[in-house]
Amino acid sequence: MKIDSKDFRVPPSANLDLSKWPTIIDPYYKSKKQYKELLLEHMEKLSSLQQLHYASNHYALLVIFQGMDGAGKDGAIRHVMSGVNPEGCEVYSFKQPNTEELQHDFLWRTTCRLPERGRIGIFNRSYYEEVLVVRVHPEILGSQGLPQELRNQKKIWEQRYGSIADLEKHLHRNGTQIVKIFLHLSYEEQRKRFLERIDEPEKNWKFSTADIHERKYWKHYMKAYEDCFHATSTHRAPWYIVPADDKENARLIVSQIVLDALTELKMTYPRTTEKRRLELKAIKKLLSK
């Protein structure tokens, strides 16, 4: 069964109710063996497209991952992008802003990490944290150094949506393709994954008591995501809601979304000029002696 990435795309200005979007769907694989074969097939195609992307050197691809704790962002990045040449791909994980980052506007730290032309940039969390975590915990605004008159919570979120939309429009105009992926995890599946992190010693490092604290705000986060998707999913920078309760299925969907994004770019290998062709023939003649 072919994966159609459009099935997971959020229409522009859509009013969403995430409770009606599935966190699990029928798998695109029939066995673990077939899953591995399909993922390998996707990875090989991605490797080939990335080589073309790097050689073409006209576009940049930015892939943003968002999701609740335990949604599988790290695993999706690790499995899907493992076949990509590290020279053409950079992954950044954005944690709580540090002192230097707080001295700048909220887009500064991620703007510094945007991918160059010919490269793939992956953001594990992103500038969207500023309309998600900060919206759920507006007291964080107090630590961001903003003037008091700019902390009006009736206006600040719409203003930040506007800043994000303007940035993404600017990037698109300058050759950066943006793909935004939300790994949609259920409340119950998150509980199971947290228990695994506790029960399996090699996963203990992943677990934090702060994760449990944030579960109390689940409904608040869902509302923040719904408003965010409504304001920022556009034709040029769409959001994709990927059912994440089945990790393997989610990885297949994610890899197809990335493949489709690269395929849509008008990329060709650089053409060899007649002068360069004559130079190569001369070099070949020397090497053949």
Side-chain angles (χ1 to χ4, degrees), residues 98-133:
N98 60 35
T99 304
E100 180 187 14
E101 291 166 346
L102 288 172
Q103 293 301 313
H104 296 269
D105 66 274
F106 78 94
L107 291 170
W108 179 80
R109 66 172 181 158
T110 48
T111 302
C112 293
R113 303 300 185 185
L114 289 170
E116 303 170 15
R117 288 187 177 86
R119 295 181 180 271
I120 299 173
I122 299 175
F123 286 179
N124 185 345
R125 301 189 187 276
S126 64
Y127 43 81
Y128 279 99
E129 293 292 282
E130 294 295 328
V131 292
L132 296 168
V133 174

Side-chain angles (χ1 to χ4, degrees), residues 200-212:
E200 299 179 29
E202 65 273 16
K203 292 185 178 181
N204 287 172
W205 66 274
K206 288 187 174 183
F207 185 75
S208 168
T209 52
D211 297 337
I212 294 298

Side-chain angles (χ1 to χ4, degrees), residues 7-8 14-15 53 82 86 126 155 164 207 252 262:
D7 292 342
F8 308 96
N15 291 310
H53 177 59
S82 60
S126 64
K155 296 181 180 179
I164 289 171
F207 185 75
L252 291 176
L262 281 171

